Amino acid sequence: MLQKQAGVAAWLFSAIVMILGAVNAEDPYRFFNWNVTYGNIYPLGVRQQGILINGQFPGPEIYSVTNDNLIINVHNSLPEPFLLSWNGLQQRRNSYQDGVYGTTCPIPPGKNFTYTLQVKDQIGSFFYFPSLAFHKAAGGFGAIKILSRPRIPVPFPEPAGDYSLLIGDWYKTNHTKLKTILDRGHRLPFPDAILINGRGANATSFTFEQGKTYRLRISNVGLQNSLNFRIQGHKMQLVEVEGTHTMQTTFSELDIHVGQSYSVLVTANQPAQDYFVAVSTRFTRRVLTTTATLHYSNSKRPVSGEIPGGPTTQIAWSLNQARAIRTNLTASGPRPNPQGSYHYGLINISRTIKLESSAAQVDGKQRYAVNSVSFVPADTPLKIADYFKIGGVFRVGSISDNPTGKKMYLDTSVMGADYRAFVEIVFQNHENIVQSWHIDGYSFWVVGMDGGVWTPSSRNQYNLRDAVSRCTTQVYPKSWTAIYMALDNVGMWNVRSEFWARQYLGQQFYLRVYTPVESIRDEFPIPKNALLCGRAAGKQTRPL
C-alpha cells in the first residue's frame, strides 16, 4: 500500500513539474489517471474483447473549460503499443502531444506516458480515440467537452442538462481479426450494427424534465459510415459544430459523418411519455438502424409507435443541409470577441492544394492513396526525426500539391508548408462513396461543396462570409469540397481519411508547417518526458 501511495505521489510531483515548466501557471489544470486494459464487453449481446479505460467502455468523459491544462497520465496495460489521439484538439504549438504515430512514439506495453494538453482558445464538442493498430474498432474512445469561460457569453440560455452521445458503426468481429483482413489485402465487410454510447438497440436512455431544454453533443466515432440522427416527435436546434457556434437552425434529422461532432438543443415540449432516439446509416444499400430512449421524468407511457424514418441515399438532401450550417457571426467564441471578426474571405490565398483520393491494388493488396501516394509509416515518428534532424526518415515534398495521374505507389508522404501561409485546399472525390476528411491541429472554413469536378470558376460559389469553421468535412460522391485554412500552428499535422480502414491502408499524409525561427513563441520544445523510439532511441530530450 505504501509503495502504491509513493508511486502516486511521484506521478503527481512529476506532473506538477511538467505543468510549471510547460504551461501558463495562471490557467487551471485538471489531472486524469487512466489505465488502458482489455476486457469483456457485450454491446451486441455477445462477448467481445474491448479496450477499456479505467474499466469503462466507452472511456471517461473529459470535462474542461477553455484554456484548461489537461494532464492525462495513460498507463498502457495492453500487450502491445498504444496511443491516444484527440480529435479536434488543436494542440497549439505542440504537435508532439497529438497522439498519432507521425508525431509521437507509442506507449510500450506496461509503461505509461503523461500527455500535457491545453485546450487553448477552444470551446465545443470533440472526442478522443486510439490511433494505432486498428484499436479504434475495439473501443478506447470517449467524449471531450470544452465549456466557455464563465465571463464569455454563450448565445443560448444554459440548458437544464448536457449529454454526450457517441454514435458509430460496430463489428462483432474482434479488432485483431479486422486488422488481419486489412493486412492480407482485403476490404472489410459491412458492419454488424450501430452503437450509442457503447450499447446496442434500446439499451441507452436520456431523462428530460417536461418543459426544459437540454444540450446533446453528438459525435460519430465509427469506422466508416455516415449516420443520420433524429428524435421521435422532437425538433433539434443546431448550436455548435466542432468548436464553432452556428446559426441556430432547426432540423428534424441531422447527418453526422465519420469523425464529426455536433451540438443540438432539444426541448421536452411533447406529451409526457418516452420517445425513440434513432440513428441509421446513410448512403448504404442495407440500412442499419439503432435506437435509444428519450425518457420524460413524468412519463405516463413507454416508447411506442414506429421508429421515425430518416433519409437513406439522398445526396442532394444532405448537401443542402451541409450548406445550411453557418457560423453565428454575432456570438463570442472562446474569446470575448465575435467569431466573425476574422474576415477569412478578404485574405489573399497564397497556395492552392488539390487532394484527390483513389483506391487500387498495390502488389496484389488493397491500398488507398492521396494524389497517388499511399502512406506507409516510417521507422521513427516524423516529428521526432525532424527535431533530432535524423536524415532518411522522410522527405518533404514526397506528395504533390495536385493529382499527378501516376499509378499508386507507397511512400512516407510529407507535404511542406510555410508558417502563416493562407491556403485553399480542395478535396476532389471521383468515387461513388461519401468521404470524410480530417486535419489535425486546425479548424478550417468549409467555403464550398458541389457535384462534379472543381475548377477555378467554382470559387464563384464560395461562401466568403459565414462558412462554418470545423476540423472534419465530408465530400460527397463524384463531388468536391473546398476549405480555407490559416497555417498559424507550427508542427507536423496528420491529414487523413476518417474512414479508418482507408486511413490504415494509406489514405493519409503529414503537413509540415514550418518556420526556420526556432522560438518558443512559435512552437514548444520537445516534451521532457517524450518517449523516444526508432532511430531516436537513446537520444536525450531536454534535461529535467
Side-chain angles (χ1 to χ4, degrees):
M1 183 67 174
L2 288 175
Q3 240 182 353
K4 185 175 181 182
Q5 289 176 337
V8 172
W11 171 72
L12 285 172
F13 175 78
S14 64
I16 290 169
V17 168
M18 281 190 293
I19 293 166
L20 294 177
V23 297
N24 187 339
E26 294 180 356
D27 293 316
Y29 55 87
R30 300 174 189 266
F31 287 111
F32 303 83
N33 197 23
W34 288 356
N35 185 31
V36 180
T37 61
Y38 281 128
N40 291 331
I41 59 174
Y42 300 84
L44 300 178
V46 296
R47 186 175 67 183
Q48 293 181 252
Q49 178 183 260
I51 293 178
L52 312 179
I53 300 178
N54 292 353
Q56 299 178 42
F57 168 73
E61 178 177 277
I62 293 178
Y63 172 95
S64 60
V65 177
T66 301
N67 290 351
D68 278 357
N69 299 294
L70 310 180
I71 311 302
I72 306 173
N73 185 30
V74 178
H75 301 262
N76 179 17
S77 297
L78 303 183
E80 68 258 20
F82 184 77
L83 273 178
L84 281 174
S85 191
W86 320 91
N87 208 76
L89 298 196
Q90 293 178 13
Q91 316 290 1
R92 303 297 302 176
R93 300 183 291 164
N94 204 6
S95 62
Y96 295 104
Q97 304 289 348
D98 200 32
V100 289
Y101 183 68
T103 64
T104 313
C105 290
I107 307 170
K111 302 295 183 180
N112 75 298
F113 176 73
T114 302
Y115 290 90
T116 304
L117 317 175
Q118 187 180 26
V119 288
K120 180 68 174 172
D121 290 334
Q122 285 194 265
I123 59 166
S125 311
F126 308 98
F127 64 92
Y128 61 86
F129 68 96
S131 62
L132 293 182
F134 222 63
H135 283 147
K136 191 181 181 187
F141 45 74
I144 301 173
K145 182 186 298 184
I146 309 176
L147 302 184
S148 295
R149 288 177 287 177
R151 66 178 179 269
I152 307 298
V154 175
F156 48 86
E158 184 174 354
D162 191 327
Y163 291 108
S164 294
L165 284 77
L166 303 176
I167 62 176
D169 48 22
W170 189 257
Y171 289 87
K172 293 179 183 176
T173 306
N174 187 290
H175 79 279
T176 56
K177 293 182 180 178
L178 296 176
K179 178 177 174 292
T180 299
I181 291 172
L182 296 174
D183 289 340
R184 290 177 175 172
H186 304 296
R187 301 187 184 201
L188 292 184
F190 191 68
D192 294 300
I194 300 166
L195 303 187
I196 300 175
N197 286 353
R199 307 180 75 179
N202 307 314
T204 307
S205 66
F206 307 93
T207 300
F208 286 15
E209 289 188 35
Q210 186 131 31
K212 294 187 177 181
T213 298
Y214 293 78
R215 182 173 184 171
L216 305 182
R217 301 171 185 260
I218 314 157
S219 296
N220 186 338
V221 299
L223 297 177
Q224 67 184 40
N225 286 110
S226 300
L227 299 175
N228 183 266
F229 181 91
R230 55 205 180 269
I231 301 175
Q232 182 184 24
H234 292 72
K235 301 289 187 181
M236 299 177 289
Q237 189 176 48
L238 183 66
V239 293
E240 177 255 330
V241 171
E242 292 157 26
T244 299
H245 290 307
T246 63
M247 297 297 292
Q248 294 177 14
T249 308
T250 298
F251 295 107
S252 298
E253 53 262 324
L254 193 61
D255 276 355
I256 304 173
H257 305 275
V258 184
Q260 293 185 338
S261 298
Y262 289 80
S263 279
V264 297
L265 298 180
V266 178
T267 301
N269 55 7
Q270 298 300 308
Q273 64 175 70
D274 292 354
Y275 296 88
F276 283 115
V277 176
V279 182
S280 58
T281 55
R282 287 284 268 125
F283 319 114
T284 56
R285 291 179 183 175
R286 176 185 162 205
V287 177
L288 295 175
T289 300
T290 196
T291 58
T293 303
L294 191 161
H295 170 69
Y296 277 41
S297 60
N298 61 339
S299 175
K300 302 190 186 321
R301 196 172 71 178
V303 65
S304 62
E306 292 186 5
I307 297 171
T312 52
T313 59
Q314 304 93 321
I315 293 170
W317 184 96
S318 189
L319 176 62
N320 288 335
Q321 182 178 80
R323 287 170 171 165
I325 298 171
R326 305 199 171 210
T327 296
N328 184 344
L329 297 181
T330 63
S332 296
R335 297 174 179 172
N337 58 301
Q339 296 182 136
S341 62
Y342 189 87
H343 298 294
Y344 68 92
L346 301 178
I347 301 173
N348 291 329
I349 299 166
S350 56
R351 179 179 176 187
T352 295
I353 299 167
K354 188 175 180 183
L355 303 176
E356 191 172 280
S357 63
S358 58
Q361 298 271 319
V362 178
D363 297 328
K365 293 185 176 182
Q366 182 65 45
R367 298 289 300 186
Y368 300 92
V370 186
N371 288 359
S372 299
V373 190
S374 187
F375 183 86
V376 288
D379 59 9
T380 306
L382 311 181
K383 184 61 184 172
I384 303 292
D386 212 13
Y387 175 81
F388 288 111
K389 297 178 171 55
I390 302 171
V393 175
F394 68 91
R395 180 177 62 85
V396 177
S398 47
I399 179 172
S400 169
D401 279 20
N402 290 282
T404 62
K406 293 181 180 178
K407 185 178 179 181
M408 186 184 295
Y409 62 96
L410 308 180
D411 201 352
T412 304
S413 38
V414 177
M415 181 180 291
D418 294 330
Y419 180 45
R420 298 197 184 283
F422 191 80
V423 300
E424 172 188 45
I425 301 178
V426 178
F427 297 99
Q428 180 67 59
N429 179 9
H430 293 299
E431 300 181 73
N432 285 318
I433 63 166
V434 175
Q435 299 177 346
S436 189
W437 288 92
H438 175 88
I439 302 180
D440 279 346
Y442 287 92
S443 282
F444 46 74
W445 292 273
V446 183
V447 294
M449 54 178 65
D450 204 355
V453 176
W454 181 90
T455 66
S457 64
S458 302
R459 295 182 181 126
N460 296 331
Q461 59 180 282
Y462 282 4
N463 176 2
L464 299 182
R465 174 173 167 76
D466 60 356
V468 70
S469 177
R470 64 188 315 167
C471 60
T472 307
T473 187
Q474 70 272 33
V475 191
Y476 291 100
K478 307 286 186 181
S479 299
W480 56 266
T481 294
I483 67 173
Y484 280 179
M485 191 164 76
L487 299 183
D488 58 359
N489 197 11
V490 174
M492 187 78 71
W493 303 108
N494 192 221
V495 181
R496 62 175 178 264
S497 168
E498 286 285 85
F499 283 28
W500 215 241
R502 286 178 168 243
Q503 179 273 157
Y504 181 78
L505 294 179
Q507 204 158 78
Q508 60 171 309
F509 67 94
Y510 282 83
L511 184 69
R512 180 181 183 252
V513 181
Y514 175 74
T515 174
V517 180
E518 295 183 0
S519 167
I520 194 172
R521 179 195 66 188
D522 299 331
E523 185 176 25
F524 289 136
I526 191 170
K528 295 175 183 179
N529 68 329
L531 300 173
L532 300 179
C533 56
R535 292 187 233 178
K539 294 186 179 292
Q540 297 294 318
T541 62
R542 300 174 293 137
L544 290 171

